[in-house]
Amino acid sequence: MRVRRAVFADRAEAGTRLGADLRVRKWCDPVVLGLARGGVPVAAGVATALHAPLDVAVARKIGAPAQPEWGLGAVTADGPVNWDPASLRRARVAAADLAEAVAREKEEAARQLRRYREVAAVVPVADRDVVLVDDGLATGVTARAALRRLRDDSPRSVVLAVPVGRAGTADRLRAEGAADDVVALIAPAVLVAVSCWYRDFGQTPDAEVLAILAAARRADSPGR
């Protein structure tokens, strides 16, 4: 069986390359948000390239009961659950049966946000171009939840940017208006696992997210 070679060394390199691609666009007072956790190291490179402030967004996947990695929907700390109706049908699961999982993931999203806000206050996004960054796009359930939550804060535009993203998922997010555009450096028709595109795709702990956000705030502070 032929094994495809990884394209990105790690999330930091992917962010540098994604930032170089996005830098050629025209932006209106941009803000870059990393989708926690793995999207934050990628977003740091994008924020540097765009000379934009870095912030964080949190969305948690609601997994299938027997296959937790299979996202049936996703939720943010506040707001409604964003379900994938087609996945619910395939899994033969009713949304009502996942109430406990929804409550648990909403609580975890709130916990993450509280911890991140200890080092990084909210960056306002109203009337600004927002770039939401993740380390990859497969089913799109968490990205969709984060994008819809961002719309509530009245940004000028919202662009989802990823180093690698399934072409069909990107097309759906554009078509349904979840994002004004979706940018992917690589957009394969079939994407089995985002991790296959990275040589180093280790877990991103809260401590790393906190360190990146704190460093970004120090860099943005007056008199630096």
Side-chain angles (χ1 to χ4, degrees), residues 69-100:
E69 290 304 310
W70 180 10
L72 305 182
V75 68
T76 56
D78 53 3
V81 187
N82 285 270
W83 295 111
D84 182 340
S87 292
L88 285 172
R89 288 193 297 271
R90 288 198 300 273
R92 298 182 180 180
V93 176
D97 295 333
L98 298 169
E100 288 186 11

Side-chain angles (χ1 to χ4, degrees), residues 15-16 18-23 43-52:
T16 299
L18 185 58
D21 184 83
L22 293 168
R23 189 169 52 216
V46 174
T48 297
L50 300 186
H51 303 288

Side-chain angles (χ1 to χ4, degrees), residues 46-188:
V46 174
T48 297
L50 300 186
H51 303 288
L54 174 68
D55 204 355
V56 63
V58 176
R60 300 283 303 178
K61 178 170 57 181
I62 309 299
Q67 295 175 266
E69 290 304 310
W70 180 10
L72 305 182
V75 68
T76 56
D78 53 3
V81 187
N82 285 270
W83 295 111
D84 182 340
S87 292
L88 285 172
R89 288 193 297 271
R90 288 198 300 273
R92 298 182 180 180
V93 176
D97 295 333
L98 298 169
E100 288 186 11
V102 169
R104 183 174 61 250
E105 295 305 333
K106 283 180 75 75
E107 182 178 349
E108 175 60 14
R111 182 205 67 79
Q112 285 183 259
L113 271 179
R114 286 194 302 271
R115 191 171 186 197
Y116 300 153
R117 293 305 172 211
E118 291 174 3
V119 301
V122 176
V123 176
V125 301
D127 301 317
R128 305 172 75 171
D129 289 339
V130 177
V131 186
L132 179 68
V133 178
D134 203 0
D135 51 19
L137 179 69
T139 63
V141 290
T142 52
R144 181 182 288 106
L147 289 164
R148 289 179 174 171
R149 175 61 188 83
L150 277 171
R151 292 289 193 192
D152 294 339
D153 294 329
S154 303
R156 179 177 179 269
S157 70
V158 180
V159 173
L160 175 65
V162 293
V164 56
R166 182 180 294 158
T169 303
D171 290 342
R172 283 194 299 274
L173 290 174
R174 290 190 198 96
E176 68 190 30
D180 294 293
D181 195 8
V182 179
V183 176
L185 297 181
I186 303 167

